[in-house]
Amino acid sequence: MIKVEEENRGSVVLRRAAEYTPPSSWRTWLIGRPLQTADAPHQTIGKAIGLAVFASDALSSTAYATQEILIILAVAGTVAFGYVFPISIAIVILMAIVTISYQQTIHAYPGGGGAYIVSRDNLGELPAQIAGAALLTDYILTVAVSVSSGVAQIVSAYPEIFAYRVHISVILVFFIMLINMRGVKESGAAFALPTYFFVVMMYITVGVGLFRALTGSLGPVIDPPELEAIHALQGVTAFLILHAFSSGTAALTGIEAISNGITAFKEPRSRNAGITLIWMALILGSLFLGISYLAREIGTIPSEIETVISQLARTIFHGQAGLYLAVIAATTVILVMAANTAFADFPRLSALLAADGFLPRQLTYRGSRLVFSRGIALLALVASLLIIVFNASVTRLIPLYAIGVFSSFTLSQAGMARRWWKIGHLEPGQELKERGSMLRYESGWQLKMVINGFGALCTLVVMFVFAITKFRDGAWIVLILTPSLVAIFSSIHQHYRNLAKRLSLDNYGLPPRIPRHRVILPISGVHRGSLSALQYARTLSDDITAVHVCTDPEEASKTQQKWEKWGDGVRLVLLDSPYRLLAEPLLEYIESIANQRQPNEIITVIVPQFVPKRWINNLLHTQTALWLRLALLFKPGIVITDVPYQVE
Amino acid sequence: MIKVEEENRGSVVLRRAAEYTPPSSWRTWLIGRPLQTADAPHQTIGKAIGLAVFASDALSSTAYATQEILIILAVAGTVAFGYVFPISIAIVILMAIVTISYQQTIHAYPGGGGAYIVSRDNLGELPAQIAGAALLTDYILTVAVSVSSGVAQIVSAYPEIFAYRVHISVILVFFIMLINMRGVKESGAAFALPTYFFVVMMYITVGVGLFRALTGSLGPVIDPPELEAIHALQGVTAFLILHAFSSGTAALTGIEAISNGITAFKEPRSRNAGITLIWMALILGSLFLGISYLAREIGTIPSEIETVISQLARTIFHGQAGLYLAVIAATTVILVMAANTAFADFPRLSALLAADGFLPRQLTYRGSRLVFSRGIALLALVASLLIIVFNASVTRLIPLYAIGVFSSFTLSQAGMARRWWKIGHLEPGQELKERGSMLRYESGWQLKMVINGFGALCTLVVMFVFAITKFRDGAWIVLILTPSLVAIFSSIHQHYRNLAKRLSLDNYGLPPRIPRHRVILPISGVHRGSLSALQYARTLSDDITAVHVCTDPEEASKTQQKWEKWGDGVRLVLLDSPYRLLAEPLLEYIESIANQRQPNEIITVIVPQFVPKRWINNLLHTQTALWLRLALLFKPGIVITDVPYQVE
């Protein structure tokens, strides 16, 4: 087990495998047996499961995107509903642009290339931090919104559980958290079935619908919900169309998920991830177009009472049983699943940010199942808090939710455009290494730059339209939150940088040996515990001062008498404490000694500490030693030694 | 400031006044400036304020005692209401017996003689613990019941705040807590006015009522509430009368308060406390008799809708304005005040129990205002919890509430009877010192013993009747709670006794000096922090082993290289941790070293510890050192030394 590795300059280095194996516990039962670091590469996923894990967020948006467009168009009356299909086509074109852009990103950044990395390498630190903040906010909101909205579907079916919707939502979040704690492969398997069930159900719906439309057997919606009263009908303006377009772009949320999660894929990672992205875009685009086309065809009415999907399904399937119920169930489940996408990406992104020193380093720690378990737990916690604060209300959460996505789209594509520009200015054959990728000259970079640049422009416009039209609904919260997060990132970064500087051994001369110890020994009384600390103190130095804080004159004189018998000639200071405080006078005394210390003299405070056998018994003792320790840690030149004395 | 007190056997003892004075803070603003221990004797109270502090609990019971009797009698129909006055007379006689008994107690125990002390000195440890448990429970319930009931009165006047009754109750509890934290004198002053206001208002009511009854101008209650439907009218049985009697004895709750609080009185304490007790009994008895007499005279009906006091006041004062409103307001306030009595007694009793080692020692600590602030906080906390759990419902809290009082009455009076017996068997002139008092022969001890014995018997009977008739309403909770508390007392006592034995210096031979240190130095990397810990380690021993847990091979080889340069020839062990754990493998390694240690060899684990300037920055570091320390504390023979390294 032990082998001497090297003997060099007098330093013996031994290498040794720890014999510790984690015992089976409730954690094993909950999330599975711990995995060794060497097992890591096996925890990756193929394309089919990858689609289920990373696409549920994007696919779930087909459940509401068409409806969002119709709601905006409704202010111009039912005549305006004709625009839904052209707008949908425009959105699908935008989707195609974004997909192509991300396709290029995935191949350029095989180590994971979300908006954060692309911005960092091509645009600089601040844009990267903005992208990071926007994405983290977005992932948290994805969890809160999707789970709340999924629970809202159940609640509309069973109104009697309305009062428990917050509880149910939070329980669901923690359930998804646990599945993710088990590891990405298992969570993929758990989520593959419902995702594919949704895709199949939607294709059946759209397929049957189109077939019946072509054969002329598809009539209009029977008994549609009433169009909600509009104060004054507006005309169809360019702004209205733009507004409807931007609302419909909700269909694009989640499309970036794969580019963040490339490392979760089996080798060849970039290729697998890229193919998965194309599949996802094709499914998403075709379903969205099909739904929008059919929705106009049968004359659905956007309403809070009945969703467009519901109107579509019951018209296509003749009523509310069988296939209809399956569609509704699948829609409900996919909305909850969408949260899982965020659980796959948030921990990876936060680990990236942490590795760069913008978030606490602990987030880079892989837990017993080799996933970033702290990131997973953090996401569950913050999302649950959000659900509780917003009372699981989707309406109040939704407006917070798209700005982050579109700002990260914009930054990512602008970064890619800049990258093409850099590549175009390289010599053929020249290579440039950046932190996240390798740059090589490519011909045709101009077209690619234009595509990315155009994509960036489109998403930028969408972002501004979103921010302006939804400002009062809550978008302003994001405009406060994102800069705050960036400020937090910076201050964390500052801390780590300072720390590294202060710890650095560059230009460090080993300080001279410590010539002399002064020992201070606070005692609460004279007993075996304090005497064993005294024994220890004697091994350090001959300059020992025992200190007893007197709050009770009787006890003080008892301590004095005992010390004269047992104190072995060591000096005792009795500190009168008129305000009956223990730690504060002691601290003040130690400080006054510390202020007089000579250079290269070190002060060691030896704290005798009872250790009761059972934890609960600590409640029966004043934890003065603990407070003293915490306060002394902040004073330079003082070492604190605990001499434990186990009793019972 | 510093003077050498003594030089003896080589031990120099210095006495020194701590220069530390507590700074002004939010606490000063909240509860007043800290007081020196030397100020203690001034914080006592005279008879007038003593009556207000200690009597509000007892006096407040006149607000409901008559009504409780009528409610029981109602099962036999309105004809049975005639028994209310004779029963009240019987209760007042019982009250007189209890008062005389406590009068004797107060003079026998000038240092404070509640049921706990009397039982401890005369009946033994177990009865004392039962009395202590019963009283503590009772004080907590007093706070919960009185505050809830006071708030219920406000709520019946303003039904719109019903939803906030728990919040209001808890806020009131913490308000009373704060006043008590300021100290007994101030809290007395704050509470004197409302108590006297209540007493005056009640005397006016009873006085005007009696005058009008004598002059024949007092008619029956106009429009009384309906008598609630009784399933089947029962006859008047002895059990019914006894049951009504026991319900009415609620008037006696709180009468023991003064005997617990004797030390709060100005000198001569016993005399002042005794006189206050007599005043209290006279006021209580006369008001109770007056109310019971008038209640029968005007034909009040016991009801949940309108209290007897309310019916009385509006009949006597012709309607619901002016004096009527003053009576209702005074009644509300006195109910809240009653909680204050518990706040005066609970901390004293818990400090007594703590000094005897039955409760955590911290409860004997006098806070900055010389009151037992921890006991006060504990009471507020537990009472608030109870209010929250029982949703501030008086009806559900009340049945828990009287058994404790009557068991403590019984034990206290039985103890006094046993004391008279002991006194009677002393020689004249002989003195016997007990823990709480001094015994001297007194003639006439037989009569006094009979009085106390009769009192004990009466209260015992009442206690049993209470326990039987109210068992299903919640009295069973007390029958579980009291033994549990006694068990907790015993286990705490056990712990302190064991501790004292293990720490005792009797038969203790100073162990031989420690010949040899082995030092283990866990390092997370090689940097200024770990090197300064290494410097310190060198002063302790030449046998040093640095240990680095490797979770990342790259980092491990970096650490190794750096150590070879900077490690000063000290041995480094690299511990491979396949499960990426830090603390556990380290702990296992240290244990394996500890198990091999030679006798009288001591192992010192030196933990280099970053100390960020700001607390919040600790969130940015894994607190491995902390967990290691906590785990190591439990291993014998290991000393833990923190070498702090302040950064920023």
Side-chain angles (χ1 to χ4, degrees):
Chain A
M1 234 11 162
I2 302 178
K3 59 180 163 108
V4 175
E5 186 109 312
E6 211 167 340
E7 190 141 350
N8 183 2
R9 297 201 192 197
S11 285
V12 184
V13 175
L14 299 162
R15 195 163 188 116
R16 192 185 144 123
E19 279 154 42
Y20 181 84
T21 40
S24 226
S25 68
W26 56 273
R27 291 171 61 123
T28 316
W29 179 83
L30 219 53
I31 62 169
R33 63 173 188 83
L35 298 174
Q36 297 208 6
T37 312
D39 296 341
H42 305 298
Q43 288 297 305
T44 55
I45 52 181
K47 294 190 284 290
I49 286 180
L51 186 67
V53 171
F54 292 107
S56 49
D57 180 14
L59 294 179
S60 72
S61 54
T62 58
Y64 50 81
T66 304
Q67 179 161 339
E68 294 292 316
I69 301 173
L70 290 172
I71 284 170
I72 304 298
L73 292 176
V75 299
T78 47
V79 285
F81 288 168
Y83 289 96
V84 69
F85 193 60
I87 290 174
S88 297
I89 290 173
I91 290 169
V92 170
I93 291 170
L94 180 65
M95 193 185 294
I97 294 169
V98 172
T99 304
I100 291 165
S101 168
Y102 271 103
Q103 188 69 21
Q104 291 168 346
T105 310
I106 286 171
H107 285 277
Y109 293 88
Y116 171 68
I117 289 180
V118 177
S119 308
R120 185 189 67 187
D121 282 7
N122 300 297
L123 301 176
E125 206 166 77
L126 187 67
Q129 290 182 41
I130 294 173
L135 281 171
L136 288 184
T137 316
D138 182 54
Y139 291 141
I140 295 166
L141 283 164
T142 300
V143 174
V145 168
S146 316
V147 171
S148 298
S149 137
V151 171
Q153 307 263 356
I154 310 172
V155 164
S156 15
Y158 304 98
E160 60 273 23
I161 60 166
F162 182 80
Y164 302 103
R165 70 196 186 287
V166 174
H167 303 80
I168 297 171
S169 302
V170 171
I171 288 168
L172 270 175
V173 169
F174 279 87
F175 178 70
I176 301 172
M177 177 191 87
L178 274 189
I179 289 175
N180 280 278
M181 289 269 188
R182 295 192 82 88
V184 67
K185 194 163 190 177
E186 282 82 351
S187 82
F191 285 96
L193 192 72
T195 306
Y196 284 108
F197 177 55
F198 174 76
V199 170
V200 169
M201 284 318 303
M202 292 311 279
Y203 270 121
I204 292 176
T205 311
V206 171
V208 172
L210 287 178
F211 176 78
R212 291 190 53 202
L214 288 175
T215 57
S217 69
L218 188 67
V221 184
I222 298 159
D223 203 9
E226 262 179 73
L227 191 61
E228 272 133 48
I230 305 293
H231 300 292
L233 274 190
Q234 298 177 4
V236 176
T237 62
F239 182 80
L240 184 74
I241 299 293
L242 219 55
H243 190 181
F245 170 82
S246 73
S247 276
T249 52
L252 270 73
T253 57
I255 215 163
E256 81 291 353
I258 290 173
S259 64
N260 279 316
I262 303 172
T263 50
F265 281 88
K266 280 212 173 71
E267 292 286 3
R269 295 197 287 214
S270 283
R271 201 181 118 79
N272 283 330
I275 292 171
T276 309
L277 176 63
I278 291 172
W279 280 6
M280 180 176 85
L282 288 177
I283 296 171
L284 178 57
S286 57
L287 284 182
F288 177 53
L289 274 185
I291 290 166
S292 289
Y293 176 78
L294 289 168
R296 194 202 45 180
E297 197 70 12
I298 64 167
T300 57
I301 302 290
S303 159
E304 292 278 319
I305 312 296
E306 189 182 9
T307 61
V308 165
I309 296 288
S310 167
Q311 295 175 45
L312 211 61
R314 71 176 163 88
T315 307
I316 291 169
F317 298 128
H318 301 290
Q320 304 204 326
L323 286 169
Y324 167 83
L325 280 182
V327 170
I328 296 300
T331 311
T332 307
V333 173
I334 196 79
L335 281 165
V336 176
M337 297 297 99
N340 198 49
T341 307
F343 270 102
D345 275 340
F346 180 96
R348 275 198 190 79
L349 179 58
S350 56
L352 258 176
L353 279 160
D356 287 351
F358 292 111
L359 278 178
R361 284 269 158 84
Q362 293 98 305
L363 291 170
T364 61
Y365 176 79
R366 283 179 188 268
S368 69
R369 297 288 291 178
L370 284 167
V371 293
F372 299 111
S373 41
R374 288 167 190 182
I376 294 173
L378 181 68
L379 174 60
L381 207 75
V382 179
S384 298
L385 262 175
L386 216 64
I387 289 173
I388 293 166
V389 168
F390 283 87
N391 221 352
S393 158
V394 182
T395 330
R396 287 163 66 197
L397 284 165
I398 277 264
L400 310 180
Y401 171 45
I403 301 183
V405 189
F406 281 95
S407 47
S408 73
F409 280 168
T410 307
L411 287 167
S412 158
Q413 291 174 112
M416 283 304 289
R418 170 118 173 74
R419 192 171 184 274
W420 293 124
W421 188 86
K422 285 195 287 186
I423 282 176
H425 288 72
L426 289 177
E427 301 295 312
Q430 191 185 346
E431 286 193 346
L432 189 64
K433 172 114 186 67
E434 291 197 335
R435 283 172 70 193
S437 71
M438 184 75 81
L439 269 59
R440 262 183 227 88
Y441 181 81
E442 271 180 54
S443 59
W445 60 272
Q446 293 91 341
L447 176 69
K448 289 172 178 167
M449 187 176 78
V450 168
I451 291 175
N452 280 141
F454 179 68
L457 191 69
C458 294
T459 50
L460 185 72
V461 169
V462 173
M463 185 182 85
F464 275 113
V465 174
F466 231 110
I468 293 162
T469 54
K470 311 236 165 183
F471 185 81
R472 288 184 56 186
D473 301 335
W476 60 271
I477 297 177
V478 179
L479 298 180
I480 292 171
L481 207 64
T482 309
S484 312
L485 269 177
V486 171
I488 290 170
F489 291 169
S490 297
S491 95
I492 290 175
H493 200 54
Q494 182 81 20
H495 170 77
Y496 283 127
R497 253 207 313 249
N498 280 347
L499 184 69
K501 215 191 293 165
R502 291 278 294 144
L503 292 178
S504 163
L505 295 175
D506 302 341
N507 309 317
Y508 181 66
L510 212 61
R513 299 235 167 148
I514 300 160
R516 216 169 86 89
H517 273 288
R518 283 186 80 166
V519 176
I520 299 174
L521 174 69
I523 55 169
S524 63
V526 182
H527 47 63
R528 293 191 190 188
S530 46
L531 291 185
S532 98
L534 175 62
Q535 285 292 104
Y536 187 83
R538 300 222 71 133
T539 67
L540 298 192
S541 171
D542 290 325
D543 184 352
I544 305 173
T545 309
V547 189
H548 174 70
V549 179
C550 319
T551 53
D552 177 1
E554 203 178 306
E555 197 203 321
S557 76
K558 231 169 72 188
T559 302
Q560 180 174 343
Q561 281 162 25
K562 278 184 157 179
W563 190 258
E564 278 156 10
K565 180 165 175 209
W566 294 96
D568 204 9
V570 164
R571 179 171 55 242
L572 172 69
V573 171
L574 296 171
L575 267 185
D576 276 322
S577 174
Y579 294 99
R580 302 164 302 287
L581 296 165
L582 292 172
E584 291 85 349
L586 202 49
L587 207 60
E588 178 237 324
Y589 176 78
I590 293 170
E591 267 174 66
S592 75
I593 299 285
N595 292 340
Q596 298 159 20
R597 82 186 158 108
Q598 325 248 307
N600 290 322
E601 183 181 59
I602 198 144
I603 293 175
T604 301
V605 178
I606 295 187
V607 186
Q609 184 147 16
F610 296 132
V611 185
K613 206 162 202 165
R614 286 174 301 168
W615 255 119
I616 186 83
N617 286 341
N618 276 313
L619 292 177
L620 302 177
H621 300 280
T622 315
Q623 302 298 322
T624 314
L626 186 69
W627 295 119
L628 196 65
R629 230 179 63 81
L630 287 179
L632 286 176
L633 277 178
F634 289 89
K635 315 271 171 229
I638 295 178
V639 168
I640 309 122
T641 296
D642 291 305
V643 180
Y645 190 75
Q646 290 86 2
V647 289
E648 280 168 301
Chain B
M1 235 10 161
I2 303 176
K3 58 182 163 98
V4 175
E5 186 112 310
E6 211 167 337
E7 191 141 349
N8 183 3
R9 296 201 194 196
S11 286
V12 183
V13 176
L14 299 161
R15 196 163 189 117
R16 192 184 144 124
E19 278 156 40
Y20 181 85
T21 39
S24 226
S25 68
W26 57 273
R27 292 171 60 123
T28 316
W29 179 82
L30 219 52
I31 62 170
R33 63 172 186 83
L35 298 173
Q36 297 209 6
T37 312
D39 295 341
H42 306 299
Q43 289 295 305
T44 54
I45 52 180
K47 295 190 284 290
I49 287 180
L51 186 66
V53 172
F54 292 107
S56 49
D57 180 14
L59 293 179
S60 72
S61 54
T62 57
Y64 51 81
T66 304
Q67 180 161 338
E68 293 292 316
I69 301 173
L70 290 172
I71 285 171
I72 304 299
L73 291 177
V75 298
T78 47
V79 284
F81 288 168
Y83 289 97
V84 67
F85 194 59
I87 289 173
S88 297
I89 289 174
I91 290 167
V92 170
I93 291 170
L94 180 65
M95 193 186 296
I97 293 169
V98 173
T99 305
I100 291 165
S101 168
Y102 272 103
Q103 188 68 23
Q104 292 170 344
T105 310
I106 285 170
H107 286 277
Y109 292 88
Y116 171 68
I117 289 180
V118 176
S119 308
R120 185 189 69 187
D121 283 9
N122 299 296
L123 301 176
E125 207 167 76
L126 186 68
Q129 289 182 40
I130 294 173
L135 281 171
L136 288 184
T137 316
D138 182 54
Y139 290 141
I140 295 166
L141 283 165
T142 301
V143 174
V145 168
S146 315
V147 171
S148 298
S149 137
V151 170
Q153 307 264 355
I154 310 171
V155 165
S156 17
Y158 305 97
E160 60 273 21
I161 60 168
F162 182 79
Y164 303 103
R165 69 196 185 287
V166 174
H167 302 81
I168 297 172
S169 301
V170 171
I171 289 169
L172 270 175
V173 168
F174 279 87
F175 179 69
I176 301 172
M177 178 191 87
L178 274 188
I179 290 175
N180 280 279
M181 288 269 190
R182 296 191 80 89
V184 66
K185 193 165 191 177
E186 282 82 350
S187 82
F191 285 96
L193 192 72
T195 306
Y196 284 109
F197 177 55
F198 174 76
V199 170
V200 169
M201 285 318 303
M202 292 310 278
Y203 270 122
I204 291 176
T205 312
V206 171
V208 172
L210 287 178
F211 176 78
R212 291 190 52 200
L214 289 175
T215 56
S217 69
L218 189 67
V221 185
I222 298 160
D223 204 9
E226 261 181 72
L227 191 61
E228 273 132 48
I230 305 292
H231 301 292
L233 274 190
Q234 299 178 3
V236 177
T237 61
F239 183 79
L240 184 75
I241 299 290
L242 219 55
H243 190 182
F245 169 83
S246 74
S247 277
T249 53
L252 269 73
T253 57
I255 215 164
E256 80 293 353
I258 290 173
S259 64
N260 278 317
I262 303 172
T263 51
F265 281 87
K266 281 212 173 72
E267 292 287 2
R269 295 197 287 215
S270 284
R271 201 181 117 79
N272 283 330
I275 292 171
T276 309
L277 176 63
I278 292 171
W279 280 5
M280 181 177 83
L282 287 177
I283 297 171
L284 179 56
S286 58
L287 283 182
F288 177 54
L289 275 185
I291 291 167
S292 290
Y293 176 78
L294 288 169
R296 192 201 46 179
E297 196 70 12
I298 64 168
T300 57
I301 302 290
S303 160
E304 292 279 317
I305 314 295
E306 190 182 8
T307 61
V308 165
I309 295 288
S310 168
Q311 294 175 45
L312 211 60
R314 73 176 162 84
T315 307
I316 291 169
F317 298 128
H318 300 290
Q320 303 204 327
L323 286 169
Y324 167 82
L325 280 180
V327 170
I328 296 300
T331 311
T332 307
V333 173
I334 196 80
L335 282 165
V336 176
M337 299 295 99
N340 198 50
T341 307
F343 270 101
D345 275 340
F346 179 97
R348 274 198 191 80
L349 179 58
S350 56
L352 258 176
L353 279 161
D356 287 351
F358 293 111
L359 278 177
R361 284 268 158 84
Q362 293 97 305
L363 292 170
T364 62
Y365 175 78
R366 285 180 186 267
S368 70
R369 297 288 291 177
L370 285 165
V371 294
F372 298 111
S373 39
R374 289 167 189 181
I376 293 174
L378 182 68
L379 174 60
L381 209 74
V382 180
S384 298
L385 263 174
L386 215 64
I387 289 173
I388 292 167
V389 168
F390 283 87
N391 221 352
S393 157
V394 182
T395 331
R396 288 163 65 197
L397 284 165
I398 278 263
L400 311 178
Y401 171 45
I403 301 183
V405 189
F406 280 94
S407 49
S408 73
F409 279 169
T410 308
L411 287 165
S412 159
Q413 290 174 111
M416 284 304 290
R418 169 118 173 74
R419 192 171 184 274
W420 292 124
W421 188 87
K422 286 195 285 185
I423 282 175
H425 289 73
L426 289 177
E427 300 295 311
Q430 192 187 345
E431 286 194 345
L432 189 66
K433 173 112 186 68
E434 292 197 334
R435 282 172 73 192
S437 72
M438 184 74 82
L439 270 58
R440 261 180 228 91
Y441 180 79
E442 270 180 56
S443 58
W445 59 271
Q446 293 90 342
L447 175 69
K448 288 170 177 169
M449 188 176 78
V450 168
I451 291 175
N452 279 140
F454 178 68
L457 190 70
C458 294
T459 50
L460 185 72
V461 169
V462 173
M463 186 183 84
F464 275 111
V465 174
F466 232 110
I468 293 162
T469 55
K470 311 235 164 180
F471 185 80
R472 288 185 54 186
D473 301 334
W476 60 271
I477 296 178
V478 178
L479 298 180
I480 292 171
L481 207 65
T482 309
S484 313
L485 269 178
V486 170
I488 290 170
F489 291 168
S490 297
S491 94
I492 290 175
H493 201 52
Q494 182 81 20
H495 170 78
Y496 282 128
R497 252 206 314 247
N498 280 349
L499 184 69
K501 215 191 291 165
R502 291 277 296 144
L503 292 178
S504 163
L505 294 175
D506 302 343
N507 308 318
Y508 180 67
L510 213 60
R513 297 234 169 151
I514 299 159
R516 218 169 85 89
H517 273 288
R518 282 185 82 165
V519 175
I520 298 174
L521 175 69
I523 55 168
S524 63
V526 183
H527 48 63
R528 293 191 191 188
S530 45
L531 290 185
S532 99
L534 175 62
Q535 284 293 104
Y536 186 84
R538 301 223 70 134
T539 67
L540 298 192
S541 172
D542 290 326
D543 184 353
I544 306 173
T545 309
V547 188
H548 175 69
V549 180
C550 319
T551 53
D552 178 0
E554 203 179 307
E555 198 202 322
S557 76
K558 231 168 73 187
T559 302
Q560 181 175 342
Q561 281 161 25
K562 279 183 158 182
W563 190 259
E564 278 156 10
K565 178 163 177 213
W566 293 97
D568 205 9
V570 164
R571 178 171 57 241
L572 172 69
V573 171
L574 295 172
L575 266 184
D576 276 324
S577 173
Y579 294 98
R580 302 164 301 288
L581 296 166
L582 291 170
E584 291 85 348
L586 202 50
L587 207 59
E588 179 238 324
Y589 177 78
I590 293 170
E591 267 175 66
S592 75
I593 299 285
N595 293 340
Q596 299 159 18
R597 82 185 158 108
Q598 326 249 306
N600 288 323
E601 184 182 59
I602 198 144
I603 292 175
T604 301
V605 178
I606 294 187
V607 186
Q609 182 148 19
F610 297 131
V611 184
K613 206 163 201 163
R614 286 174 301 168
W615 254 120
I616 186 82
N617 286 341
N618 277 311
L619 292 178
L620 303 177
H621 301 279
T622 316
Q623 302 297 321
T624 315
L626 187 69
W627 295 118
L628 196 65
R629 230 179 64 81
L630 287 178
L632 286 175
L633 276 177
F634 288 89
K635 315 272 171 228
I638 296 178
V639 168
I640 308 122
T641 296
D642 291 306
V643 180
Y645 190 75
Q646 291 85 3
V647 287
E648 279 168 298

